[in-house]
Amino acid sequence: MVSSRKLSKVKAVGTENADIKRVLALCFRGQETLDALDIERMLSFDMGWLTPDQATEAIQALIRTGWLIGEEDSLWPIENFQSSVTPLGWHPRPERLLNPIIFSEDFTQSLPVDERPVNSSKVEQTKSIPNLQAADDDPRAGTTKRLLKFIARSSGLSSEEVQRRAARKQRALQHVTAWMALALVAREQGLEMNSVIEALS
């Protein structure tokens, strides 16, 4: 016999699964793949469900937990969720997008991330980090690695996360050097820009 506590947990997990499926169904309606930036824009500016920073965090969490797969410039959901029904006036709880449960085909087998070991067959542990594009004729190109380490150390972000955010800015702005993209990340993190300039010197 299933205990009432376990049953209520299964129901809660099922609701979380349904919410994430609805979000992905709405984002990918008529689209096979989307850039991470496009999904972030939908969640923040179009839908108004999250702030831009939260949207960035949510996309990374959905990739980490197996709901989204592919590279950041070409993501798609692990399954086709277009059959998910979205009630009128519905909106997801931000917490369910920021801390999603690990994807599972079986609702009854799904548990929150902190209570279930990651299934390596479903979730890739190491995601490739997009490279920063440095121009050959950029005199500051040699300072990129030093600036990246400085921002990581000063902001508390990992070097990989700083590089990922800077690469995303390069993709979005297109004609931006690697060091300028890193400087924009530093500005977002509230770092003293004089220190950033010194790191570029």
Side-chain angles (χ1 to χ4, degrees):
M1 183 181 236
V2 179
S3 68
S4 59
R5 185 176 176 182
K6 186 174 182 181
L7 187 59
S8 63
K9 192 170 196 176
V10 168
K11 285 182 179 177
V13 168
T15 303
E16 288 190 37
N17 259 345
D19 275 7
I20 296 170
K21 288 184 176 185
R22 284 172 182 158
V23 168
L24 295 179
L26 289 169
C27 289
F28 284 88
R29 182 178 295 161
Q31 302 288 334
E32 289 187 6
T33 64
L34 286 171
D35 187 292
L37 284 168
D38 292 330
I39 308 174
E40 289 171 20
R41 176 182 51 76
M42 290 179 193
L43 296 179
S44 55
F45 298 114
D46 295 355
M47 305 294 191
W49 291 332
L50 303 171
T51 66
D53 284 345
Q54 285 178 325
T56 299
E57 187 180 336
I59 298 307
Q60 296 306 314
L62 290 169
I63 292 171
R64 216 167 36 244
T65 50
W67 289 92
L68 289 173
I69 53 179
E71 300 299 325
E72 289 203 2
D73 60 351
S74 181
L75 291 169
W76 63 92
I78 187 71
E79 285 187 3
N80 184 348
F81 301 130
Q82 294 304 314
S83 60
S84 297
V85 178
T86 305
L88 188 65
W90 171 88
H91 59 85
R93 292 184 185 176
E95 185 64 24
R96 290 179 177 169
L97 298 177
L98 295 170
N99 296 293
I101 58 175
I102 293 174
F103 172 78
S104 173
E105 295 174 358
D106 183 357
F107 281 3
T108 62
Q109 296 300 313
S110 298
L111 290 176
V113 173
D114 59 352
E115 296 183 26
R116 180 182 173 191
V118 175
N119 183 341
S120 59
S121 66
K122 285 288 183 186
V123 182
E124 248 181 80
Q125 291 295 333
T126 54
K127 296 290 178 183
S128 59
I129 301 166
N131 290 322
L132 286 167
Q133 304 301 315
D136 295 333
D137 58 348
D138 183 359
R140 290 194 175 93
T143 65
T144 301
K145 286 184 179 179
R146 186 167 75 241
L147 180 57
L148 191 152
K149 289 179 181 177
F150 170 78
I151 295 170
R153 186 173 64 251
S154 302
S155 67
L157 296 172
S158 67
S159 296
E160 292 80 5
E161 181 59 22
V162 172
Q163 182 171 325
R164 185 179 289 112
R165 294 187 184 194
R168 189 182 297 128
K169 291 190 182 304
Q170 269 197 314
R171 276 207 323 273
L173 301 173
Q174 295 183 0
H175 304 295
V176 157
T177 60
W179 65 265
M180 177 57 77
L182 286 166
L184 291 172
V185 173
R187 185 72 183 87
E188 275 185 356
Q189 294 302 306
L191 301 185
E192 172 56 51
M193 294 310 290
N194 285 334
S195 301
V196 174
I197 292 169
E198 287 176 12
L200 282 167
S201 303

